[in-house]
Amino acid sequence: MLKDDSDVIERMQEIVHPGSCGLDAGCGAGARDVFFYWQSDYDIYGIDALRENILLSKDVHPEIASRLSVANLSNPLNYIDGKFDFVICNAVIQHIKPKTVRDVTLPEFSRILKSGGILQLMFKVGNGIKTVYDKDYGVTRKFQLYDETAIINSLSKLGLQLIEEVDGKIGGVMYFADSKPVYHCLVFMRKQ
């Protein structure tokens, strides 16, 4: 059932409705998802660790410039507890050391989510570090791989529960490969 990005966005929009407050944690150059959700009447913000990505995003989408800022997921986030109805973090933790993800990043996601809030987390699957040629960037890159069971267990200890597949709606632990090829895992989790 998971064919492309539109399936992921459609499922998130079924779970979290327009008007909800969200954060794209690692919005990337162009802030594509922030702009899309904003156009769909979500109260969404985007952060990225790279200043260049935020500057480019503001140039591409000046109408959401005030919603974009520089922040590093390796550090505590500058948001109040329970601010967000949803957090999106797609293919970002692969750039962060596992100890930091476990001790800082995941606890911060839980802290800033409201009770009942949704975390959409996509990450590269495996153990150790994988070095691959990334044709999209034209360079060889290194990615931190994560064990999906360990990530889900860590999030469970932080009060989040996996949203399972129901009535033909995507859910549970989903896998896919990209063009590098590297395997990914996608989960939706709800804060209890």
Side-chain angles (χ1 to χ4, degrees):
M1 293 182 291
L2 182 61
K3 295 177 215 70
D4 57 37
D5 288 350
S6 65
D7 296 318
V8 177
I9 291 170
E10 181 180 310
R11 183 61 177 136
M12 182 59 110
Q13 289 183 314
E14 291 170 349
I15 301 169
V16 181
H17 302 289
S20 299
C21 185
L23 176 68
D24 186 348
C27 63
R32 180 197 75 171
D33 290 350
V34 177
F35 185 70
F36 174 82
Y37 279 95
W38 176 79
Q39 281 189 311
S40 300
D41 296 322
Y42 288 82
D43 180 21
I44 190 166
Y45 298 84
I47 59 174
D48 199 278
L50 298 177
R51 186 173 191 276
E52 301 82 27
N53 285 350
I54 294 300
L55 292 175
L56 176 63
S57 299
K58 288 179 177 185
D59 285 345
V60 172
H61 298 296
E63 56 272 63
I64 61 169
S66 65
R67 295 175 168 276
L68 304 171
S69 59
V70 177
N72 190 324
L73 296 178
S74 295
N75 301 315
L77 298 172
N78 193 23
Y79 297 108
I80 62 169
D81 294 358
K83 175 171 177 60
F84 297 104
D85 296 300
F86 67 103
V87 172
I88 298 168
C89 184
N90 291 332
V92 177
I93 65 171
Q94 65 206 23
H95 304 294
I96 305 172
K97 292 180 180 178
K99 182 177 182 341
T100 304
V101 167
R102 185 189 67 238
D103 295 346
V104 178
T105 310
L106 298 181
E108 280 296 286
F109 289 161
S110 178
R111 182 187 67 77
I112 64 175
L113 275 172
K114 293 179 180 176
S115 179
I118 304 297
L119 171 64
Q120 174 189 310
L121 184 63
M122 183 185 300
F123 53 93
K124 292 186 176 10
V125 177
N127 293 303
I129 295 174
K130 184 163 187 165
T131 303
V132 296
Y133 178 75
D134 187 337
K135 69 178 184 175
D136 296 331
Y137 289 85
V139 296
T140 299
R141 301 175 73 194
K142 291 183 179 187
F143 298 110
Q144 179 63 56
L145 305 179
Y146 284 91
D147 176 83
E148 63 275 29
T149 302
I151 291 287
I152 292 167
N153 287 342
S154 291
L155 288 166
S156 294
K157 290 175 185 173
L158 294 166
L160 283 84
Q161 182 177 20
L162 185 67
I163 297 174
E164 297 289 350
E165 176 187 335
V166 175
D167 299 327
K169 305 290 183 179
I170 63 173
V173 181
M174 297 164 275
Y175 300 95
F176 64 94
D178 65 12
S179 61
K180 297 185 190 35
V182 179
Y183 289 100
H184 290 74
C185 180
L186 169 66
V187 294
F188 294 98
M189 299 193 72
R190 184 183 311 276
K191 185 175 178 182
Q192 302 303 302

